[in-house]
Amino acid sequence: MSGKVVERFPAGGATDVDDLVAALRAVPAGGPLTVGDDRIVEFLVAFARRLLRPAVARRHPELASLGFFLRRGEIARALARVADEPGQLRFPRGLVFHVPPANVDTIFVYSWALSALAGNANVVRISSRSAGAADAVLDALGDTLADADDVVRQTQRMVTYGRDDAVTAALSAAADLRVIWGGDRSVGEIRRHPLAPHARDLTFPDRSSFTVIGAAGWLAAAEADRDAAALGLYNDAYWFDQAACASPRAVYWVGDPASTGAARADLLSRLRRVLDGKRPEVDAAMAVEKRVATYGLAVEGAATAIHFDGNDLATVELAGPDDIPRRWLGVGTFPQARVDSLADLAPVVVRRDQTVTHFGFAADELVAFARALAGRGVDRIVPVGDALSFAATWDGYDLMREFTRITSVVTR
Amino acid sequence: MSLFALDQAAREARLLPELVELTEHHRARSPEYARLLASLGHLPGRRYDRVADLPWLPVRLFKHHVLKSIGDDEVFKVLTSSGTTGDVSRIYLDKDAAGVQQKMLSATLSAVIGTKRLPMLLVDTKALFKNRTSFSARGAGVLGLMNFGRDHTFVLDEQERPDPDAVRAFLERHGDQPFLIFGFTFMTWLYLYELAREHRFDLSNGILIHSGGWKKLVDRAVDNAEFRRRFTADTGLTRIHNFYGMVEQIGTTFLEGPDGGGLYCPEFADVIVRDPHTWAEVPVGTPGVVQVVSTMPRSYPGHLLLTEDRGVVHGVDDGAWPGKRFSILGRLPRAEARGCSDTFAEAAA
């Protein structure tokens, strides 16, 4: 008893999952895909060009980022990481099954594009709730297909299906690699379905992130850089309702009380100006959500003060630096705490922490911080404003390496 | 003496000092509530000029946190609400609070049903009470109201099918005297109205009390006015009282007046409709988010609650009863988190 899927790319009707797997497994007419296969590279470059069209980029700024990520130069850089070496040949893993998150509309494209670049056949489960940017992506992919090699149509598939365990089981059993985004619950749900003995999972569980700002560095920075940082914080936090794993869910101020107080007031007034210009939509339901979340912190004793500056900006004084709320508190909610030095934050960090966005520190301070963490948590330390810039290294994985396998050739 | 006799100025004058005292009462007894007030800058001794200035709590806080103003050893009863999202409010009552809430519900309803126990028709099924261990909110609601009637007759049989014979027998016994009808709004419409119209039952001596909102009737284009009009036209029923209340403010029931012009507040309660952008009180006629106010909750800090309902005040001291005359317009949607999680949560709704 096998289930049905609806084909979204290439667009089609309902298909039997077993037929889908058979098509993905068949050797393409023009020969099997290779790592960095030209037929795929040309498709991705043409697809990126569509995303960078002004009409698309204006409506969905996050798609412009995706377009930049897939430019020819970037693709070449990604491929250089998995180039053949003497005695080491790189090959695709085979069939990759991707389960992206329902709510960040663009993650599935990054995950899929890198895997396609690695020469894999891919099947991506698209959320039936997908909307907006995800639909724009599917449209752009469909339009690009017209001029593409047939191999793309055969080996790259995006489908939707309801809660059908039979489909998940069939795709899991057929996969050489399964990629699960979307948090702890999804990982647990999907892992109930066995993989083939040689296959493995690449999991992206629940993560959370925070910002560190050096007060001295902030106060010494040029006006323009401070404005850019306020805009950067806005983009990091507000783009996906502060719910993306890389969006900061707390702000740490590093320095003495007087300078952190001054720096804080300055950042918040600049962020206020950004908000007054951008006017993010914070509806009544979200506003109530923020009250429930922040009041809850006070009830628990984690917060000592809560301040609402309109519905779009809430700040919370944390009782101490060692107890940051890692859960989602609604868009535009910034719990804050002060520490004397970056090193004081090292004990606070847990495995779940993913991205630390920073401002006002020198490179050696950040490296020393990373060394102090010793890999116990935090996978990315990036400037404020770059939290949501997807990279080929994510959650500590070098994705191109994960999507390929190595054949060693040793000669006497 | 009806609980619906206090005009707005007298109500405000009476409620303000009581609510200030109640706020201090909860602050002194609930460390969690005290922490919350402190973090919001509401410190002891602060002066309040209006009830609307007092600090309110979002009602969902009771779904995530234990907030009570009584010791663990004084907990007599824990009431739970079933949320549609699966999380549940927990409301802690001591013996006093449990007694008072039943008394106040009774005093409130006596305004429309009198003080005598009337024969009672329940638009539900006895099967609700089959499983004593897992009691649904629906079951609890029905059970709570059953105390006000006698000779209880269920409109639906145990398989949840309308039972015209049972209703006919009830009406033969009691239909010529006042009798009580209770049900959830959508069930009253789907089962009782349809049944009574089809069988030409005479409900003209009935007093209908119903609650639960209009959401399930939206696609049938039935609103409060249509509901009343058709019940009257097709069954003779004229005494129809919608009511609004929530487990988080137990004992407080906002009741539709005899004019059908909206819900009214009992004398120990009030509503404040707030602008969802500024959270200031909006003028009469402007829709917003409903805050409910009541001096009932003493065992937990539930006296000033922001609901997740939208509503509008139609008028003040201008209806069948004094005070604010208002309607509930529907639920606020639940804020959806976008983000990296919940690939699978989509099928849960």
Side-chain angles (χ1 to χ4, degrees):
Chain A
M1 169 63 212
S2 72
K4 293 260 187 234
V5 300
V6 177
E7 303 197 274
R8 299 290 305 276
F9 171 81
T15 299
D16 196 276
V17 68
D18 294 341
D19 296 344
L20 177 73
V21 169
L24 285 163
R25 283 255 174 240
V27 178
L33 288 176
T34 58
V35 177
D37 197 294
D38 283 342
R39 295 168 291 179
I40 297 291
V41 170
E42 291 315 312
F43 179 78
L44 290 176
V45 168
F47 167 59
R49 267 202 303 271
R50 285 182 192 276
L51 295 181
L52 289 168
R53 286 180 182 172
V56 177
R58 245 199 320 274
R59 282 195 33 226
H60 304 289
E62 64 268 44
L63 296 190
S65 314
L66 180 59
F68 284 120
F69 183 82
L70 294 173
R71 282 172 312 173
R72 207 176 281 280
E74 295 293 325
I75 286 176
R77 248 192 298 280
L79 287 172
R81 300 182 71 86
V82 287
D84 289 345
E85 294 164 38
Q88 278 210 354
L89 306 180
R90 288 268 175 180
F91 295 100
R93 280 197 170 267
L95 174 57
V96 182
F97 172 32
H98 304 255
V99 187
N103 294 334
V104 171
D105 323 334
T106 51
I107 287 269
F108 78 90
V109 201
Y110 288 102
S111 183
W112 160 77
L114 290 173
S115 179
L117 203 52
N120 295 301
N122 291 290
V123 57
V124 184
R125 181 191 175 175
I126 305 276
S127 163
S128 48
R129 269 195 323 192
S130 75
D135 284 349
V137 164
L138 289 168
D139 289 346
L141 283 169
D143 293 347
T144 313
L145 198 58
D147 307 321
D149 190 289
D150 277 345
V151 77
V152 177
R153 180 181 295 277
Q154 184 195 322
T155 59
Q156 309 301 321
R157 309 293 188 99
M158 299 188 185
V159 300
T160 50
Y161 57 94
R163 242 190 132 137
D164 187 340
D165 278 353
V167 174
T168 303
L171 294 175
S172 297
D176 299 294
L177 175 71
R178 185 169 57 183
V179 184
I180 313 172
W181 303 82
D184 298 358
R185 209 170 119 213
S186 299
V187 172
E189 292 251 11
I190 304 273
R191 271 198 175 155
R192 290 185 301 115
H193 302 286
L195 292 165
H198 73 276
R200 47 189 296 234
D201 274 326
L202 187 55
T203 59
F204 297 90
D206 285 329
R207 310 302 304 273
S208 64
S209 300
F210 58 87
T211 294
V212 294
I213 301 177
W218 180 271
L219 295 171
E223 291 276 327
D225 292 341
R226 295 190 224 172
D227 280 335
L231 178 60
L233 180 61
Y234 169 86
N235 289 338
D236 287 350
Y238 287 77
W239 259 12
F240 291 110
D241 290 345
Q242 217 169 331
C245 10
S247 294
R249 291 193 187 166
V251 180
Y252 281 115
W253 292 92
V254 182
D256 62 75
S259 57
T260 53
R264 244 185 84 155
D266 185 51
L267 169 62
L268 286 174
S269 72
R270 289 171 202 271
L271 180 59
R272 177 77 268 160
R273 279 205 295 277
V274 172
L275 291 168
D276 290 345
K278 299 271 185 190
R279 309 183 73 97
E281 172 62 33
V282 180
D283 63 11
M286 182 68 84
V288 169
E289 183 78 36
K290 291 174 71 168
R291 300 267 172 176
V292 172
T294 55
Y295 288 19
L297 292 176
V299 165
E300 291 162 5
T304 56
I306 298 168
H307 180 71
F308 275 81
D309 180 22
N311 280 345
D312 56 3
L313 179 57
T315 50
V316 176
E317 308 308 311
L318 293 172
D322 43 7
D323 190 20
I324 48 173
R326 289 178 167 87
R327 64 179 187 264
W328 180 69
L329 304 170
V331 62
T333 308
F334 299 97
Q336 304 186 57
R338 187 195 68 79
V339 288
D340 289 323
S341 72
L342 265 184
D344 296 345
L345 284 179
V348 173
V349 167
V350 296
R351 174 76 269 158
R352 190 187 149 141
D353 293 323
Q354 182 209 56
T355 299
V356 173
T357 42
H358 62 82
F359 186 94
F361 297 100
D364 58 339
E365 292 178 279
L366 296 168
V367 170
F369 178 55
R371 293 226 180 271
L373 297 175
R376 280 189 311 102
V378 177
D379 302 315
R380 302 168 69 223
I381 299 176
V382 300
V384 164
D386 287 358
L388 302 176
S389 305
F390 193 86
T393 301
W394 197 258
D395 275 14
Y397 294 115
D398 182 340
L399 293 176
M400 286 308 286
R401 293 184 180 214
E402 298 292 334
F403 289 144
T404 52
R405 48 185 318 120
I406 298 171
T407 300
S408 314
V409 182
V410 182
T411 52
R412 289 255 182 260
Chain B
M1 180 57 209
S2 166
L3 284 179
F4 295 89
L6 212 53
D7 70 30
Q8 197 56 34
R11 179 186 309 258
E12 175 84 14
R14 184 181 134 179
L15 291 186
L16 180 62
E18 286 189 33
L19 291 164
V20 171
E21 182 275 324
L22 206 44
T23 301
E24 293 311 320
H25 163 92
H26 292 305
R27 187 203 306 271
R29 285 165 185 78
S30 165
E32 294 79 11
Y33 182 66
R35 282 201 290 261
L36 175 56
L37 291 187
S39 75
L40 295 172
H42 285 270
L43 302 174
R46 177 163 164 173
R47 261 191 57 88
Y48 296 98
D49 297 326
R50 296 160 53 240
V51 170
D53 298 339
L54 286 156
W56 44 262
L57 272 51
V59 70
R60 209 179 335 130
L61 220 48
F62 291 92
K63 290 197 161 88
H64 302 303
H65 303 279
V66 173
L67 287 159
K68 60 184 173 59
S69 308
I70 49 177
D72 291 347
D73 53 337
E74 297 169 280
V75 175
F76 171 70
K77 207 178 195 177
V78 183
L79 298 171
T80 55
S81 76
S82 70
T84 40
T85 45
D87 36 16
V88 171
S89 284
R90 294 186 178 281
I91 301 302
Y92 294 82
L93 304 180
D94 57 7
K95 243 194 161 78
D96 279 352
V100 165
Q101 63 111 346
Q102 192 62 22
K103 214 172 83 196
M104 280 304 152
L105 176 60
S106 162
T108 304
L109 291 181
S110 71
V112 296
I113 62 178
T115 49
K116 282 219 307 277
R117 282 192 172 209
L118 299 173
M120 189 170 190
L121 201 54
L122 292 143
V123 192
D124 217 308
T125 165
K126 205 184 294 186
L128 270 185
F129 311 117
K130 266 229 165 99
N131 189 350
R132 278 276 169 198
T133 50
S134 76
F135 228 45
S136 66
R138 197 172 114 198
V142 172
L143 199 65
L145 267 292
M146 280 174 79
N147 292 326
F148 298 102
R150 60 182 170 87
D151 193 12
H152 303 104
T153 300
F154 288 86
V155 173
L156 303 178
D157 65 17
E158 304 234 344
Q159 285 71 46
E160 308 219 9
R161 289 175 312 215
D163 188 348
D165 296 340
V167 177
R168 187 177 293 108
F170 176 90
L171 291 172
E172 280 166 7
R173 284 198 304 278
H174 303 295
D176 59 343
Q177 294 289 316
F179 59 92
L180 186 55
I181 312 170
F182 167 71
F184 289 95
T185 304
F186 79 99
M187 293 184 68
T188 304
W189 183 255
L190 291 184
Y191 301 115
L192 181 65
Y193 169 76
E194 297 287 347
L195 190 74
R197 194 184 57 174
E198 184 187 348
H199 293 274
R200 308 245 166 121
F201 289 145
D202 175 7
L203 304 180
S204 57
N205 277 317
I207 305 167
L208 169 63
I209 306 224
H210 69 102
S211 183
W214 302 94
K215 207 174 93 185
K216 292 180 171 156
L217 295 178
V218 165
D219 49 359
R220 295 170 185 261
V222 177
D223 60 5
N224 196 41
E226 182 68 1
F227 182 95
R228 297 178 69 89
R229 192 184 64 73
R230 289 185 43 195
F231 253 114
T232 303
D234 297 332
T235 73
L237 185 69
T238 57
R239 293 203 277 169
I240 299 173
H241 300 276
N242 187 7
F243 70 92
Y244 171 69
M246 62 205 68
V247 78
E248 294 86 354
Q249 209 172 70
I250 197 71
T252 308
T253 309
F254 300 91
L255 192 59
E256 188 177 20
D259 55 341
L263 296 158
Y264 294 89
C265 314
E267 61 184 29
F268 54 84
D270 206 353
V271 290
I272 294 167
V273 176
R274 295 187 178 273
D275 178 327
H277 301 288
T278 65
W279 300 103
E281 187 169 10
V282 295
V284 167
T286 306
V289 183
V290 175
Q291 180 194 337
V292 289
V293 173
S294 167
T295 59
M296 275 309 108
R298 283 196 85 79
S299 60
Y300 66 99
H303 53 312
L304 300 157
L305 296 179
L306 186 84
T307 71
E308 297 192 348
D309 292 309
R310 295 173 53 258
V312 62
V313 173
H314 302 296
V316 181
D317 296 336
D318 72 338
W321 294 334
K324 286 178 184 166
R325 187 168 59 84
F326 72 101
S327 290
I328 298 297
L329 302 171
R331 300 284 291 168
L332 277 184
R334 183 72 197 269
E336 272 270 343
R338 301 168 72 186
C340 306
S341 296
D342 294 331
T343 310
F344 258 92
E346 56 193 283

CSV table of all heavy atoms in Angstrom, one decimal, chain A residues 141-173:
chain,number,residue,atom,x,y,z
A,141,LEU,N,11.4,28.3,-10.4
A,141,LEU,CA,12.0,27.0,-10.8
A,141,LEU,C,11.3,26.4,-12.1
A,141,LEU,O,11.9,26.0,-13.0
A,141,LEU,CB,11.9,26.0,-9.7
A,141,LEU,CG,12.8,26.1,-8.5
A,141,LEU,CD1,12.4,25.2,-7.4
A,141,LEU,CD2,14.2,25.7,-8.9
A,142,GLY,N,10.0,26.5,-12.1
A,142,GLY,CA,9.2,26.0,-13.2
A,142,GLY,C,9.5,26.8,-14.5
A,142,GLY,O,9.7,26.2,-15.5
A,143,ASP,N,9.7,28.1,-14.4
A,143,ASP,CA,10.0,28.9,-15.6
A,143,ASP,C,11.4,28.5,-16.1
A,143,ASP,O,11.6,28.5,-17.3
A,143,ASP,CB,10.0,30.4,-15.2
A,143,ASP,CG,8.6,30.9,-14.9
A,143,ASP,OD1,7.6,30.1,-15.2
A,143,ASP,OD2,8.4,32.0,-14.3
A,144,THR,N,12.3,28.2,-15.2
A,144,THR,CA,13.7,28.0,-15.6
A,144,THR,C,13.8,26.6,-16.3
A,144,THR,O,14.6,26.4,-17.1
A,144,THR,CB,14.6,28.0,-14.4
A,144,THR,OG1,14.3,29.1,-13.6
A,144,THR,CG2,16.1,28.0,-14.8
A,145,LEU,N,12.8,25.7,-16.0
A,145,LEU,CA,12.9,24.4,-16.5
A,145,LEU,C,12.8,24.3,-18.0
A,145,LEU,O,13.3,23.4,-18.7
A,145,LEU,CB,11.7,23.6,-15.9
A,145,LEU,CG,11.8,22.1,-15.9
A,145,LEU,CD1,13.1,21.6,-15.2
A,145,LEU,CD2,10.6,21.5,-15.2
A,146,ALA,N,12.0,25.3,-18.6
A,146,ALA,CA,11.8,25.2,-20.0
A,146,ALA,C,13.1,25.1,-20.8
A,146,ALA,O,13.1,24.4,-21.8
A,146,ALA,CB,11.0,26.5,-20.4
A,147,ASP,N,14.1,25.8,-20.4
A,147,ASP,CA,15.4,25.7,-21.2
A,147,ASP,C,16.4,24.8,-20.6
A,147,ASP,O,17.6,24.8,-21.0
A,147,ASP,CB,16.0,27.2,-21.2
A,147,ASP,CG,15.0,28.2,-21.7
A,147,ASP,OD1,14.3,27.9,-22.6
A,147,ASP,OD2,15.0,29.3,-21.1
A,148,ALA,N,16.0,24.0,-19.6
A,148,ALA,CA,17.0,23.1,-18.9
A,148,ALA,C,17.1,21.8,-19.6
A,148,ALA,O,16.2,21.3,-20.3
A,148,ALA,CB,16.6,23.0,-17.5
A,149,ASP,N,18.2,21.1,-19.3
A,149,ASP,CA,18.5,19.8,-19.7
A,149,ASP,C,17.4,18.8,-19.1
A,149,ASP,O,17.0,19.0,-17.9
A,149,ASP,CB,19.9,19.3,-19.3
A,149,ASP,CG,20.3,18.0,-19.9
A,149,ASP,OD1,19.7,16.9,-19.6
A,149,ASP,OD2,21.2,18.0,-20.8
A,150,ASP,N,17.0,17.8,-19.8
A,150,ASP,CA,16.0,16.9,-19.3
A,150,ASP,C,16.4,16.2,-18.0
A,150,ASP,O,15.5,15.8,-17.2
A,150,ASP,CB,15.7,15.8,-20.3
A,150,ASP,CG,14.7,16.3,-21.4
A,150,ASP,OD1,14.1,17.3,-21.1
A,150,ASP,OD2,14.6,15.6,-22.4
A,151,VAL,N,17.7,16.2,-17.7
A,151,VAL,CA,18.1,15.5,-16.5
A,151,VAL,C,17.6,16.2,-15.3
A,151,VAL,O,17.3,15.5,-14.2
A,151,VAL,CB,19.7,15.4,-16.5
A,151,VAL,CG1,20.3,16.8,-16.1
A,151,VAL,CG2,20.1,14.3,-15.5
A,152,VAL,N,17.4,17.5,-15.3
A,152,VAL,CA,16.8,18.2,-14.2
A,152,VAL,C,15.4,17.8,-13.9
A,152,VAL,O,15.1,17.4,-12.7
A,152,VAL,CB,16.9,19.8,-14.5
A,152,VAL,CG1,16.2,20.5,-13.3
A,152,VAL,CG2,18.3,20.2,-14.8
A,153,ARG,N,14.6,17.7,-14.9
A,153,ARG,CA,13.2,17.2,-14.8
A,153,ARG,C,13.2,15.8,-14.1
A,153,ARG,O,12.3,15.6,-13.3
A,153,ARG,CB,12.6,17.2,-16.2
A,153,ARG,CG,11.2,16.8,-16.2
A,153,ARG,CD,10.7,16.8,-17.7
A,153,ARG,NE,10.6,18.2,-18.2
A,153,ARG,CZ,9.7,19.1,-18.0
A,153,ARG,NH1,8.6,18.7,-17.2
A,153,ARG,NH2,9.7,20.3,-18.5
A,154,GLN,N,14.1,15.0,-14.5
A,154,GLN,CA,14.1,13.6,-14.1
A,154,GLN,C,14.5,13.5,-12.6
A,154,GLN,O,14.0,12.7,-11.9
A,154,GLN,CB,14.9,12.7,-15.0
A,154,GLN,CG,14.8,11.2,-14.6
A,154,GLN,CD,15.9,10.4,-15.2
A,154,GLN,OE1,16.2,10.6,-16.3
A,154,GLN,NE2,16.4,9.4,-14.4
A,155,THR,N,15.6,14.2,-12.3
A,155,THR,CA,16.3,13.9,-11.0
A,155,THR,C,16.0,14.8,-9.9
A,155,THR,O,16.4,14.6,-8.8
A,155,THR,CB,17.8,13.9,-11.2
A,155,THR,OG1,18.2,15.2,-11.7
A,155,THR,CG2,18.2,12.9,-12.2
A,156,GLN,N,15.3,16.0,-10.2
A,156,GLN,CA,15.1,16.9,-9.1
A,156,GLN,C,13.6,17.1,-8.9
A,156,GLN,O,12.9,17.6,-9.8
A,156,GLN,CB,15.7,18.3,-9.5
A,156,GLN,CG,17.2,18.2,-9.9
A,156,GLN,CD,18.0,17.6,-8.8
A,156,GLN,OE1,17.9,17.8,-7.6
A,156,GLN,NE2,19.0,16.7,-9.2
A,157,ARG,N,13.0,16.7,-7.8
A,157,ARG,CA,11.6,16.7,-7.6
A,157,ARG,C,11.2,17.4,-6.3
A,157,ARG,O,11.8,17.1,-5.3
A,157,ARG,CB,11.0,15.3,-7.6
A,157,ARG,CG,11.5,14.4,-8.7
A,157,ARG,CD,10.9,14.9,-10.0
A,157,ARG,NE,11.1,13.9,-11.1
A,157,ARG,CZ,10.2,13.0,-11.5
A,157,ARG,NH1,9.0,13.0,-11.0
A,157,ARG,NH2,10.6,12.2,-12.5
A,158,MET,N,10.1,18.2,-6.4
A,158,MET,CA,9.6,18.8,-5.1
A,158,MET,C,8.1,18.4,-5.1
A,158,MET,O,7.4,18.6,-6.0
A,158,MET,CB,9.8,20.3,-5.1
A,158,MET,CG,11.3,20.6,-5.2
A,158,MET,SD,11.6,22.3,-5.0
A,158,MET,CE,13.4,22.3,-5.3
A,159,VAL,N,7.7,17.8,-3.9
A,159,VAL,CA,6.4,17.3,-3.8
A,159,VAL,C,5.7,17.8,-2.5
A,159,VAL,O,6.4,18.1,-1.6
A,159,VAL,CB,6.4,15.7,-3.9
A,159,VAL,CG1,7.0,15.2,-5.2
A,159,VAL,CG2,7.2,15.2,-2.7
A,160,THR,N,4.4,17.7,-2.5
A,160,THR,CA,3.7,17.9,-1.3
A,160,THR,C,2.9,16.6,-1.0
A,160,THR,O,2.4,15.9,-2.0
A,160,THR,CB,2.7,19.0,-1.3
A,160,THR,OG1,1.9,18.9,-2.5
A,160,THR,CG2,3.3,20.4,-1.3
A,161,TYR,N,2.7,16.3,0.2
A,161,TYR,CA,1.8,15.2,0.6
A,161,TYR,C,1.3,15.5,2.0
A,161,TYR,O,2.0,16.1,2.8
A,161,TYR,CB,2.4,13.8,0.4
A,161,TYR,CG,3.6,13.5,1.2
A,161,TYR,CD1,3.6,12.9,2.5
A,161,TYR,CD2,4.9,13.9,0.7
A,161,TYR,CE1,4.7,12.7,3.2
A,161,TYR,CE2,6.1,13.6,1.4
A,161,TYR,CZ,6.0,13.0,2.7
A,161,TYR,OH,7.1,12.7,3.4
A,162,GLY,N,0.1,15.0,2.3
A,162,GLY,CA,-0.4,15.2,3.6
A,162,GLY,C,0.3,14.4,4.6
A,162,GLY,O,1.4,13.9,4.4
A,163,ARG,N,-0.3,14.2,5.8
A,163,ARG,CA,0.4,13.4,6.8
A,163,ARG,C,0.3,11.9,6.5
A,163,ARG,O,-0.4,11.2,7.0
A,163,ARG,CB,-0.3,13.6,8.2
A,163,ARG,CG,0.7,14.3,9.1
A,163,ARG,CD,0.1,14.3,10.5
A,163,ARG,NE,1.1,13.8,11.4
A,163,ARG,CZ,1.3,14.4,12.6
A,163,ARG,NH1,0.7,15.4,12.9
A,163,ARG,NH2,2.2,13.9,13.4
A,164,ASP,N,1.1,11.5,5.5
A,164,ASP,CA,1.0,10.1,5.0
A,164,ASP,C,2.3,9.4,5.4
A,164,ASP,O,3.3,9.5,4.7
A,164,ASP,CB,0.8,10.2,3.5
A,164,ASP,CG,0.5,8.8,3.0
A,164,ASP,OD1,0.8,7.8,3.7
A,164,ASP,OD2,0.0,8.7,1.8
A,165,ASP,N,2.2,8.5,6.4
A,165,ASP,CA,3.4,7.8,6.8
A,165,ASP,C,3.9,6.9,5.7
A,165,ASP,O,5.1,6.6,5.7
A,165,ASP,CB,3.1,7.0,8.1
A,165,ASP,CG,3.1,7.9,9.3
A,165,ASP,OD1,3.6,9.0,9.2
A,165,ASP,OD2,2.8,7.4,10.4
A,166,ALA,N,3.0,6.4,4.9
A,166,ALA,CA,3.5,5.5,3.9
A,166,ALA,C,4.4,6.2,2.9
A,166,ALA,O,5.4,5.6,2.5
A,166,ALA,CB,2.3,4.9,3.1
A,167,VAL,N,4.2,7.4,2.6
A,167,VAL,CA,5.1,8.2,1.7
A,167,VAL,C,6.4,8.4,2.4
A,167,VAL,O,7.5,8.2,1.8
A,167,VAL,CB,4.4,9.5,1.2
A,167,VAL,CG1,5.4,10.3,0.4
A,167,VAL,CG2,3.1,9.2,0.5
A,168,THR,N,6.3,8.9,3.6
A,168,THR,CA,7.6,9.2,4.3
A,168,THR,C,8.4,7.9,4.4
A,168,THR,O,9.6,7.9,4.3
A,168,THR,CB,7.3,9.7,5.7
A,168,THR,OG1,6.5,10.9,5.6
A,168,THR,CG2,8.5,10.1,6.5
A,169,ALA,N,7.7,6.8,4.7
A,169,ALA,CA,8.5,5.5,4.9
A,169,ALA,C,9.1,5.1,3.5
A,169,ALA,O,10.3,4.7,3.5
A,169,ALA,CB,7.5,4.4,5.3
A,170,ALA,N,8.4,5.2,2.4
A,170,ALA,CA,8.9,4.8,1.1
A,170,ALA,C,10.1,5.7,0.7
A,170,ALA,O,11.1,5.2,0.3
A,170,ALA,CB,7.8,4.9,0.1
A,171,LEU,N,10.0,7.0,0.9
A,171,LEU,CA,11.1,7.9,0.6
A,171,LEU,C,12.3,7.7,1.5
A,171,LEU,O,13.4,7.8,1.0
A,171,LEU,CB,10.6,9.4,0.6
A,171,LEU,CG,9.5,9.7,-0.4
A,171,LEU,CD1,9.1,11.2,-0.2
A,171,LEU,CD2,10.1,9.5,-1.9
A,172,SER,N,12.0,7.4,2.8
A,172,SER,CA,13.1,7.1,3.7
A,172,SER,C,13.9,5.9,3.3
A,172,SER,O,15.1,5.8,3.3
A,172,SER,CB,12.6,7.0,5.1
A,172,SER,OG,12.0,8.2,5.5
A,173,ALA,N,13.1,4.8,3.0
A,173,ALA,CA,13.7,3.6,2.7
A,173,ALA,C,14.6,3.7,1.4
A,173,ALA,O,15.6,2.9,1.2
A,173,ALA,CB,12.6,2.5,2.5
